[in-house]
Every structure is written in C-alpha cells, then in structure tokens.
Amino acid sequence: MPSYYPLYVNLRGRRCIVIGGGSVSERKVRGLLDSGADMVTVIAPAASPGLAELAAKGSIQLLSREYQEEDLTGAFLVFAATDRREINEAVSRAGTRLGLLVNVADNADEGGFITPSVIRRGELLLSITTGGASPSLTALIRQELAEHYGHDYGQRVELLRLLRQKVLSNEFHHKNKQELLRKAAQEISALKLDNENVRDHEFIDQWMIRLTTGGSNNGV
Ligand SMILES: C[C@@]1(CC(=O)O)C2=NC(=C\c3[nH]c(c(CCC(=O)O)c3CC(=O)O)Cc3[nH]c(c(CC(=O)O)c3CCC(=O)O)/C=C3\N/C(=C\2)[C@@H](CCC(=O)O)[C@]3(C)CC(=O)O)/[C@H]1CCC(=O)O
Ligand SMILES: NC(=O)c1ccc[n+]([C@@H]2O[C@H](COP(=O)([O-])OP(=O)(O)OC[C@H]3O[C@@H](n4cnc5c(N)ncnc54)[C@H](O)[C@@H]3O)[C@@H](O)[C@H]2O)c1
C-alpha cells in the first residue's frame, strides 16, 4: 500500500482535466469548483445532467467525445473517472509519462493522488482519508466531524485571522505574542458566536484589551 503526503493546493489558473462524465466525475468536479478551480475541462461522450448544467452555466468546459491522449497537454491535475478500465489505465499511463498527477477512480494505487473527504468551514478545511481502505468509513467520519465542527467555525477562524493580524502588526507591542495567539484560539474555540460579532471591530478591540490584560472573556 502506498502512503500519502497531504497538501492543500491552490488550483486557480491551473487546468484540471476530468475524463469521464458520470456520477464519480461529477463529484470530483464539484469538489474542484468548491476549491476555487476555474479551469475545469470534462471529456466524455455522455455527461450527467449535473455536469451538463455546470457547462451551460460556464462553470466548466465540457467536450462531448471520447478521450484522446493529446487531451492531457497543458493539464495540471488529471482525473481518470470513466467506467472503462482500459481507458482509465491509458489516461493514467499517459498522464504519468507527462509527469502529471493522475487520480484513478477505479484503481487508487495506479494513480499519483487520491481525493479525501472534505469539510469546509470558511478557511477551516478538514480532510479525511482511509487511503482507499474504506471510502464508506471516510464518509462516516466526515459526518461525525461535521457535527462537531459546526458552521460557526468559519466565523471563529475569521475572527482569529483578524485578531492575529492585529497582534502581529508592527504597532502592537507585547513580549509574548505567540502565547496571546494560543490563548485567543483556545478561548474563541469555546465561544458562542454570531455573524455580527465578527464584523464588529469593537469586539476585536475588546478582545485585544482582554488578552493583553489577562482578563476573562465571558462577557464578550
Ligand atoms: C472520500 C471520497 C471523496 C470523493 O470522491 O470526492 C472518495 N470516495 C467517496 C465515496 C465512495 N466511494 C465509493 C463508495 C461506495 C462504497 C465503498 O466502496 O466503500 C463511496 C461511499 C459513498 O458513496 O458514500 C467507491 C469507491 N471508491 C474508490 C473505489 C475504487 C477503489 O477502491 O480502487 C471505489 C469502488 C468502486 C467500485 O465499486 O468499483 C476509490 C476512492 N475513493 C476515494 C474517495 C479515494 C479514497 C478515499 C478514502 O478511502 O478515504 C479513492 C481511493 C480514489 C479517489 O477517488 O480519489 C467520497 C466520499 C465523499 C463524502 O461523502 O465525503
Ligand atoms: N473513486 C470513487 O470515489 C468511486 C466511487 C464509485 C465508483 N467508482 C468507479 O469510478 C468509475 C466511474 O463510475 P461512475 O459511476 O461515474 O460511472 P458512469 O457509468 O456513471 O460514468 C462513466 C462515464 O465515463 C464516460 N466514458 C466512457 N468511455 C469513455 C471514453 N473513452 N472517454 C471519455 N469518457 C468515457 C461515459 O461517457 C460516462 O460519462 C467506475 O469505474 C466505478 O467503479 C469510483
């Protein structure tokens, strides 16, 4: 079994080619779009209604024909997601020869990367994999984590980003900035939040005062 190196990739401006247009392809395409990919091409003689709709909206380019090797030219990521073993294998071989990362939907070990299950809460991005051992267990764990890390985590992270910018700014002087930031993360992860709080700069200023004076945050 291979072992995997996790990383988060910025796909803006990078061509992602998906060969095959069924339900697996559609899931991968939606994952790409959710990640900010803006150059997604799907190649398949028949595409799912969802993919056709994304193409009609201009979110993806859809080429309604069979795969040819030249399709991989200029790709950054490649997904082999047809229902034909020999096509997926050919895509994987051609892509690997070109030095591209290929995901193979029906034979994980043949490809260069696998796709994890994902939870997005603003900038918080959790990903889970079992390395292909059990995609069903992966989906189950995602469900459990999604309940634990609710949608308010997006706000927590946004607030912590703003606080961190302030704490790290040149105007702010404190002997232990890292300790302050750890304390803020601990306290904000335990706090009840609503949208208003995050936009309110007074709220952040109050936090700054409380953090620097070591006061309790219960009243914020
Ligand atoms: C996480 C998720 C992300 C995504 O696809 O976006 C994902 N599979 C998901 C669901 C899912 N996939 C399958 C089932 C049916 C039940 C079952 O078979 O268990 C379910 C469950 C369901 O649908 O609920 C069938 C299946 N999957 C793969 C094979 C081929 C093989 O084993 O080689 C077959 C058999 C095909 C056949 O029957 O022939 C292969 C892969 N699937 C992966 C990812 C990669 C490893 C992930 C890991 O192990 O952690 C890997 C290795 C390669 C890759 O695709 O990158 C997404 C969950 C989304 C979510 O809910 O969050
Ligand atoms: N990795 C995963 O998460 C996962 C999950 C379930 C199934 N699978 C596997 O993924 C594969 C695809 O599953 P699906 O449910 O999306 O299948 P599907 O039957 O819904 O779709 C297959 C697609 O492949 C296209 N296709 C066939 N020949 C082609 C060619 N020569 N060039 C380009 N496109 C071609 C078809 O037009 C169709 O759009 C299967 O092998 C399945 O076993 C993977």
CSV table of all heavy atoms in Angstrom, one decimal, residues 61-84:
chain,number,residue,atom,x,y,z
A,61,GLN,N,-15.8,23.5,-18.8
A,61,GLN,CA,-15.8,23.2,-20.3
A,61,GLN,C,-16.1,21.8,-20.4
A,61,GLN,O,-15.5,20.9,-19.8
A,61,GLN,CB,-14.4,23.6,-20.8
A,61,GLN,CG,-14.3,23.4,-22.3
A,61,GLN,CD,-12.9,23.5,-22.8
A,61,GLN,OE1,-11.9,23.2,-22.1
A,61,GLN,NE2,-12.7,24.0,-24.0
A,62,LEU,N,-17.1,21.5,-21.3
A,62,LEU,CA,-17.5,20.1,-21.5
A,62,LEU,C,-17.2,19.7,-22.9
A,62,LEU,O,-17.8,20.3,-23.8
A,62,LEU,CB,-18.9,19.9,-21.1
A,62,LEU,CG,-19.6,18.5,-21.3
A,62,LEU,CD1,-18.8,17.4,-20.5
A,62,LEU,CD2,-21.0,18.5,-20.9
A,63,LEU,N,-16.4,18.7,-23.2
A,63,LEU,CA,-16.2,18.2,-24.5
A,63,LEU,C,-16.9,16.9,-24.7
A,63,LEU,O,-16.5,15.9,-24.0
A,63,LEU,CB,-14.7,18.1,-24.8
A,63,LEU,CG,-13.8,19.4,-24.6
A,63,LEU,CD1,-12.4,19.1,-24.8
A,63,LEU,CD2,-14.3,20.5,-25.4
A,64,SER,N,-17.9,16.8,-25.5
A,64,SER,CA,-18.7,15.6,-25.6
A,64,SER,C,-18.1,14.6,-26.6
A,64,SER,O,-18.6,14.5,-27.8
A,64,SER,CB,-20.1,16.0,-26.0
A,64,SER,OG,-20.6,16.9,-25.0
A,65,ARG,N,-17.1,14.0,-26.2
A,65,ARG,CA,-16.4,13.0,-27.1
A,65,ARG,C,-15.5,12.1,-26.3
A,65,ARG,O,-15.4,12.3,-25.1
A,65,ARG,CB,-15.6,13.7,-28.2
A,65,ARG,CG,-14.6,14.6,-27.6
A,65,ARG,CD,-13.5,14.9,-28.7
A,65,ARG,NE,-12.6,15.9,-28.2
A,65,ARG,CZ,-11.5,15.6,-27.4
A,65,ARG,NH1,-11.4,14.4,-26.9
A,65,ARG,NH2,-10.7,16.6,-27.0
A,66,GLU,N,-15.0,11.1,-26.9
A,66,GLU,CA,-14.1,10.1,-26.2
A,66,GLU,C,-12.7,10.8,-26.0
A,66,GLU,O,-12.3,11.7,-26.7
A,66,GLU,CB,-13.9,8.9,-27.0
A,66,GLU,CG,-15.2,8.1,-27.1
A,66,GLU,CD,-15.0,6.6,-27.4
A,66,GLU,OE1,-13.9,6.2,-27.9
A,66,GLU,OE2,-15.9,5.8,-27.1
A,67,TYR,N,-12.1,10.3,-24.9
A,67,TYR,CA,-10.7,10.8,-24.6
A,67,TYR,C,-9.7,10.5,-25.7
A,67,TYR,O,-9.7,9.4,-26.3
A,67,TYR,CB,-10.3,10.1,-23.3
A,67,TYR,CG,-8.8,10.0,-23.0
A,67,TYR,CD1,-8.1,11.1,-22.6
A,67,TYR,CD2,-8.1,8.8,-23.3
A,67,TYR,CE1,-6.7,11.0,-22.4
A,67,TYR,CE2,-6.8,8.7,-23.1
A,67,TYR,CZ,-6.1,9.8,-22.6
A,67,TYR,OH,-4.7,9.7,-22.4
A,68,GLN,N,-8.8,11.4,-25.9
A,68,GLN,CA,-7.6,11.2,-26.7
A,68,GLN,C,-6.4,11.6,-25.9
A,68,GLN,O,-6.5,12.6,-25.2
A,68,GLN,CB,-7.6,12.0,-28.0
A,68,GLN,CG,-9.0,12.1,-28.7
A,68,GLN,CD,-9.1,13.2,-29.7
A,68,GLN,OE1,-8.2,14.1,-29.8
A,68,GLN,NE2,-10.2,13.3,-30.3
A,69,GLU,N,-5.3,11.0,-26.2
A,69,GLU,CA,-4.1,11.3,-25.4
A,69,GLU,C,-3.7,12.8,-25.4
A,69,GLU,O,-3.2,13.3,-24.4
A,69,GLU,CB,-2.9,10.4,-25.9
A,69,GLU,CG,-1.8,10.4,-24.9
A,69,GLU,CD,-0.7,9.3,-25.3
A,69,GLU,OE1,-1.1,8.2,-25.8
A,69,GLU,OE2,0.5,9.6,-25.0
A,70,GLU,N,-3.9,13.5,-26.5
A,70,GLU,CA,-3.5,14.9,-26.6
A,70,GLU,C,-4.3,15.7,-25.6
A,70,GLU,O,-3.9,16.9,-25.3
A,70,GLU,CB,-3.7,15.5,-28.0
A,70,GLU,CG,-3.1,14.7,-29.1
A,70,GLU,CD,-3.9,13.5,-29.6
A,70,GLU,OE1,-5.0,13.7,-30.2
A,70,GLU,OE2,-3.6,12.4,-29.2
A,71,ASP,N,-5.4,15.2,-25.1
A,71,ASP,CA,-6.2,16.0,-24.2
A,71,ASP,C,-5.5,16.4,-22.9
A,71,ASP,O,-5.8,17.3,-22.2
A,71,ASP,CB,-7.5,15.2,-23.7
A,71,ASP,CG,-8.4,15.0,-24.9
A,71,ASP,OD1,-8.5,15.9,-25.7
A,71,ASP,OD2,-9.2,14.0,-24.8
A,72,LEU,N,-4.4,15.7,-22.6
A,72,LEU,CA,-3.7,15.9,-21.3
A,72,LEU,C,-2.7,17.1,-21.4
A,72,LEU,O,-2.2,17.6,-20.4
A,72,LEU,CB,-3.0,14.6,-20.9
A,72,LEU,CG,-3.9,13.4,-20.7
A,72,LEU,CD1,-3.1,12.3,-20.0
A,72,LEU,CD2,-5.1,13.7,-19.9
A,73,THR,N,-2.4,17.5,-22.6
A,73,THR,CA,-1.5,18.6,-22.8
A,73,THR,C,-1.9,19.8,-22.0
A,73,THR,O,-3.1,20.3,-22.2
A,73,THR,CB,-1.3,18.9,-24.3
A,73,THR,OG1,-1.1,17.7,-25.0
A,73,THR,CG2,-0.2,20.0,-24.6
A,74,GLY,N,-1.1,20.4,-21.2
A,74,GLY,CA,-1.4,21.6,-20.5
A,74,GLY,C,-2.1,21.4,-19.2
A,74,GLY,O,-2.4,22.3,-18.5
A,75,ALA,N,-2.3,20.1,-18.9
A,75,ALA,CA,-3.1,19.8,-17.6
A,75,ALA,C,-2.1,20.0,-16.4
A,75,ALA,O,-0.9,19.8,-16.5
A,75,ALA,CB,-3.6,18.4,-17.7
A,76,PHE,N,-2.8,20.3,-15.3
A,76,PHE,CA,-2.0,20.3,-14.0
A,76,PHE,C,-2.4,19.1,-13.2
A,76,PHE,O,-1.6,18.3,-12.7
A,76,PHE,CB,-2.4,21.6,-13.3
A,76,PHE,CG,-1.8,21.7,-11.9
A,76,PHE,CD1,-0.4,22.0,-11.8
A,76,PHE,CD2,-2.6,21.6,-10.8
A,76,PHE,CE1,0.2,22.1,-10.5
A,76,PHE,CE2,-2.0,21.8,-9.5
A,76,PHE,CZ,-0.6,22.0,-9.4
A,77,LEU,N,-3.7,18.8,-13.1
A,77,LEU,CA,-4.3,17.6,-12.5
A,77,LEU,C,-5.1,16.9,-13.5
A,77,LEU,O,-5.8,17.5,-14.3
A,77,LEU,CB,-5.2,18.0,-11.3
A,77,LEU,CG,-4.5,18.5,-10.0
A,77,LEU,CD1,-5.6,18.7,-8.9
A,77,LEU,CD2,-3.4,17.6,-9.5
A,78,VAL,N,-5.1,15.6,-13.4
A,78,VAL,CA,-5.9,14.7,-14.3
A,78,VAL,C,-6.7,13.7,-13.4
A,78,VAL,O,-6.2,13.1,-12.5
A,78,VAL,CB,-5.0,13.9,-15.3
A,78,VAL,CG1,-5.8,13.0,-16.1
A,78,VAL,CG2,-4.2,14.9,-16.1
A,79,PHE,N,-8.0,13.6,-13.8
A,79,PHE,CA,-8.8,12.6,-13.1
A,79,PHE,C,-9.3,11.6,-14.2
A,79,PHE,O,-9.9,11.9,-15.2
A,79,PHE,CB,-10.1,13.2,-12.5
A,79,PHE,CG,-9.7,14.2,-11.4
A,79,PHE,CD1,-9.2,15.5,-11.7
A,79,PHE,CD2,-9.9,13.8,-10.1
A,79,PHE,CE1,-8.9,16.3,-10.6
A,79,PHE,CE2,-9.5,14.6,-9.0
A,79,PHE,CZ,-9.1,15.9,-9.3
A,80,ALA,N,-9.0,10.3,-14.0
A,80,ALA,CA,-9.4,9.2,-14.9
A,80,ALA,C,-10.7,8.6,-14.2
A,80,ALA,O,-10.6,7.9,-13.2
A,80,ALA,CB,-8.3,8.2,-15.0
A,81,ALA,N,-11.9,9.0,-14.7
A,81,ALA,CA,-13.1,8.6,-14.0
A,81,ALA,C,-14.1,8.0,-15.0
A,81,ALA,O,-15.3,8.3,-14.8
A,81,ALA,CB,-13.7,9.8,-13.2
A,82,THR,N,-13.6,7.3,-16.0
A,82,THR,CA,-14.6,6.6,-16.8
A,82,THR,C,-15.0,5.2,-16.2
A,82,THR,O,-14.4,4.8,-15.2
A,82,THR,CB,-14.0,6.3,-18.2
A,82,THR,OG1,-13.2,5.2,-18.2
A,82,THR,CG2,-13.3,7.5,-18.8
A,83,ASP,N,-16.0,4.6,-16.8
A,83,ASP,CA,-16.4,3.3,-16.3
A,83,ASP,C,-15.6,2.2,-17.1
A,83,ASP,O,-16.0,1.0,-17.0
A,83,ASP,CB,-17.9,3.1,-16.4
A,83,ASP,CG,-18.4,3.3,-17.8
A,83,ASP,OD1,-17.6,3.9,-18.7
A,83,ASP,OD2,-19.6,3.0,-18.1
A,84,ARG,N,-14.6,2.6,-17.8
A,84,ARG,CA,-13.8,1.6,-18.6
A,84,ARG,C,-12.4,1.5,-18.1
A,84,ARG,O,-11.6,2.4,-18.3
A,84,ARG,CB,-13.9,1.9,-20.1
A,84,ARG,CG,-15.3,1.6,-20.7
A,84,ARG,CD,-15.5,2.1,-22.0
A,84,ARG,NE,-14.5,1.6,-23.0
A,84,ARG,CZ,-14.3,2.1,-24.2
A,84,ARG,NH1,-15.0,3.1,-24.6
A,84,ARG,NH2,-13.3,1.6,-24.9
